[in-house]
Amino acid sequence: MEAELQKRRSMYIEPAINRSDELESGEASKNFDEDGRAKRTGTLLTASAHIVTAVIGSGVLSLAWALAQLGWVAGPAILTVFSLITYFTSTLLADTYRAPGPVHGTRNYTYMDVVRAHLGGYKVQLCGLAQYGNLVGVSIGYTITASISMVAVLRSNCFHKYGHHVKCVKSNYPSMAIFAGIQIVLSQIPNFHELSWLSIVAAVMSFAYSFIGLGLSIAKLAGDGPGRTSLTGTTVGVDVTGSDKIWRSFQAIGDIAFAYAFSTVLIEIQDTLKSAPPENKVMKKAALVGVMTTTVFYVLCGCIGYAAFGNDAPGNFLTGFGFYEPFWLIDFANVCIAVHLVGAYQVFTQPIFGFVESRSTQKWPESKFVTAEHAVRIPLCGVLSVNLFRMVWRTVYVIVTTVIAMIFPFFNDFLGLIGAASFYPLTVYFPIEMHIAQAKIPKYSFTWMWLKILSWTCFVVSIIAAAGSIQGLAHDVRRYKPFKTE
């Protein structure tokens, strides 16, 4: 039983144990990788599912609103540029998983480990601050989004029963509590590898609600005709004031940046892949599949959603009630969103869990509370490895992020701020800097220069997007009425 539990332990909390006996007997080839850790089983399919789960999330719901702020020229252009940059830097990041070489180097298990191996120094701390701060923000954002979708089901039924003129006010708080309860249970799964099934289910859900939103937009476009659109988006003096136009455009860029945020978990996803074929080659293919798939959905949902609603596009086109009927289809779409975010929440929080637990194991190796694993038999599920520290810490984390979500339940502003804060450091800066260091690109060479120009350009864009999101968040806080969703 103890041997089985050791195999089930998380890839994050299991220290690098001496497996000399197994290596001598050939056991490593069966159950362990070359570094003595549990054998990885990830494939192109599971990695692509993880990426689609991480990328096609709540970001797709705000794209019609984002295009309404930017218009037909800037909107699709910015979407395309972000997708190209994300794919390019993802290929650079995939090559840094092993160091010093991308194929035969030593494995690095987390984003911080990769930065430590290639850059070192204070940049490791900066990376940790950016990555884990972003992951906490995503946890909060997904809690907000899932609760809004759960409430939208109740409101949809209310509108159907009593008419569209009724306010149907509902509180987000019970839905947030239900979502938190589900996450507390799922968070006790110790091993990221064992979440592949959840990512596949979540990816299917993301396709489902994206197709539903797209279909409803097409139906609205065919039935009611196109909304009032323009090349530059919302019109100053008609839809918004001059200052609002600027701030909302900045915020829209942040929303688009958030829609492509998966670099924060790319290394952790890559660490689930089998060692043959080389992980970097498989990860590049998975990144291409993920980014291409999501970009097609984003362009369709954003453009057709904007065409259907025009400059009055709601912040979330499935919960903003641009659609009322068929109510059952809207209900199903919002259930799909909630189920998808259940899986996406786990994809983004597992690196946080792993980081805290590995550090705790290193600091208190003799503490049974921190390191001891207990076998608990779950009916119909088999034996689950339970660690008391893991159970307490993960439960507290879910509760704290839920409380913060209850305090700041603002969808568009929060997503824009998270996207702006994470896109530059994690998607652009560190992958480029590590590629320069790994490939030993000469300073002031042509390649070095254009990589630096790309990096600084993205930095300026991120600052602009963060400013717009902060202004929108401050505005919403001033006018927020607690306990109600209208």
Side-chain angles (χ1 to χ4, degrees):
M1 179 64 73
E2 182 65 24
E4 179 63 21
L5 287 177
Q6 288 298 327
K7 294 176 190 177
R8 288 173 172 268
R9 292 190 68 183
S10 170
M11 65 176 178
Y12 297 113
I13 67 172
E14 184 175 12
I17 302 171
N18 182 5
R19 303 284 190 185
S20 57
D21 295 338
E22 291 92 337
L23 289 171
E24 291 176 2
S25 65
E27 184 70 13
S29 62
K30 297 179 181 178
N31 299 315
F32 304 103
D33 279 320
E34 76 277 5
D35 56 356
R37 292 189 172 225
K39 194 81 171 178
R40 293 165 293 160
T41 58
T43 63
L44 175 61
L45 174 63
T46 60
S48 300
H50 281 313
I51 292 174
V52 171
T53 300
V55 181
I56 298 184
S58 49
V60 71
L61 305 173
S62 65
L63 291 180
W65 179 88
L67 262 67
Q69 314 313 310
L70 299 169
W72 286 119
V73 176
I78 291 175
L79 264 175
T80 303
V81 169
F82 269 93
S83 69
L84 293 175
I85 292 174
T86 300
Y87 172 67
F88 171 68
T89 56
S90 295
T91 62
L92 302 184
L93 190 56
D95 281 336
T96 63
Y97 170 68
R98 289 182 180 267
V103 178
H104 300 295
T106 302
R107 285 170 59 193
N108 295 285
Y109 310 110
T110 67
Y111 201 125
M112 282 185 67
D113 289 340
V114 171
V115 174
R116 184 179 292 107
H118 292 279
L119 301 177
Y122 71 94
K123 291 182 180 180
V124 179
Q125 284 71 40
L126 290 179
C127 171
L129 182 63
Q131 183 188 16
Y132 295 111
N134 169 257
L135 293 175
V136 171
V138 170
S139 303
I140 298 168
Y142 281 180
T143 302
I144 295 170
T145 310
S147 68
I148 291 174
S149 293
M150 294 163 74
V151 167
V153 174
L154 301 177
R155 297 185 68 205
S156 173
N157 294 336
C158 175
F159 287 133
H160 178 72
K161 184 175 181 179
Y162 298 108
H164 302 166
H165 62 283
V166 180
K167 287 187 176 181
C168 291
V169 176
K170 305 290 180 181
S171 172
N172 280 2
Y173 294 174
S175 299
M176 288 187 183
I178 293 172
F179 184 79
I182 295 171
Q183 295 302 339
I184 287 173
V185 174
L186 289 177
S187 294
Q188 305 313 314
I189 298 175
N191 198 329
F192 197 15
H193 301 287
E194 296 175 6
L195 292 173
S196 294
W197 64 271
L198 185 59
S199 280
I200 292 173
V201 171
V204 171
M205 294 296 101
S206 67
F207 281 118
Y209 71 72
S210 296
F211 272 122
I212 291 171
L214 182 61
L216 290 172
S217 296
I218 293 173
K220 181 176 176 60
L221 194 61
D224 301 336
R228 181 173 52 85
T229 64
S230 70
L231 294 178
T232 57
T234 50
T235 305
V236 175
V238 178
D239 304 303
V240 292
T241 64
S243 61
D244 282 344
K245 173 67 174 179
I246 295 174
W247 289 119
R248 288 189 178 191
S249 296
F250 291 169
Q251 184 183 331
I253 295 174
D255 284 354
I256 293 174
F258 177 83
Y260 282 102
F262 80 98
S263 295
T264 50
V265 292
L266 185 146
I267 295 298
E268 282 79 1
I269 293 174
Q270 189 167 346
D271 192 50
T272 67
L273 294 173
K274 298 176 183 178
S275 57
E279 302 96 344
N280 65 323
K281 293 184 178 180
V282 177
M283 197 63 201
K284 288 178 182 179
K285 292 179 181 178
L288 179 62
V289 171
V291 172
M292 284 184 61
T293 302
T294 54
T295 300
V296 169
F297 273 106
Y298 285 176
V299 170
L300 289 175
C301 292
C303 291
I304 295 179
Y306 178 42
F309 294 108
N311 294 340
D312 296 324
N316 182 327
F317 79 149
L318 280 175
T319 64
F321 288 98
F323 313 109
Y324 288 96
E325 300 291 342
F327 80 101
W328 58 268
L329 187 59
I330 296 168
D331 287 354
F332 179 71
N334 280 293
V335 169
C336 289
I337 294 172
V339 173
H340 168 252
L341 293 179
V342 166
Y345 184 100
Q346 286 299 312
V347 170
F348 277 94
T349 54
Q350 285 291 329
I352 304 176
F353 295 157
F355 174 74
V356 172
E357 288 155 18
S358 63
R359 289 301 179 91
S360 300
T361 301
Q362 293 169 9
K363 189 170 184 179
W364 300 291
E366 303 302 324
S367 171
K368 290 186 178 180
F369 175 73
V370 174
T371 61
E373 298 283 341
H374 306 278
V376 177
R377 185 170 295 279
I378 308 295
L380 304 179
C381 297
V383 177
L384 178 67
S385 175
V386 175
N387 173 274
L388 294 179
F389 173 74
R390 183 169 65 233
M391 180 169 29
V392 172
W393 136 246
R394 294 187 181 192
T395 300
V396 170
Y397 176 85
V398 173
I399 292 173
V400 170
T401 54
T402 302
V403 170
I404 297 174
M406 290 178 174
I407 298 173
F408 299 104
F410 311 117
F411 177 75
N412 286 84
D413 303 321
F414 210 93
L415 297 193
L417 182 59
I418 296 170
S422 65
F423 182 78
Y424 172 69
L426 298 171
T427 303
V428 179
Y429 175 75
F430 283 115
I432 287 178
E433 291 299 311
M434 289 189 291
H435 174 69
I436 290 174
Q438 185 183 54
K440 296 181 174 58
I441 298 175
K443 198 172 185 179
Y444 301 118
S445 65
F446 174 77
T447 302
W448 185 91
M449 289 291 292
W450 80 260
L451 286 173
K452 288 291 185 178
I453 290 172
L454 174 62
S455 180
W456 279 104
T457 301
C458 291
F459 174 72
V460 173
V461 171
S462 294
I463 291 295
I464 290 173
S469 298
I470 291 172
Q471 190 276 340
L473 195 60
H475 178 266
D476 284 346
V477 168
R478 287 195 299 268
R479 67 184 181 86
Y480 177 56
K481 296 179 181 180
F483 306 111
K484 293 183 179 181
T485 298
E486 299 189 17

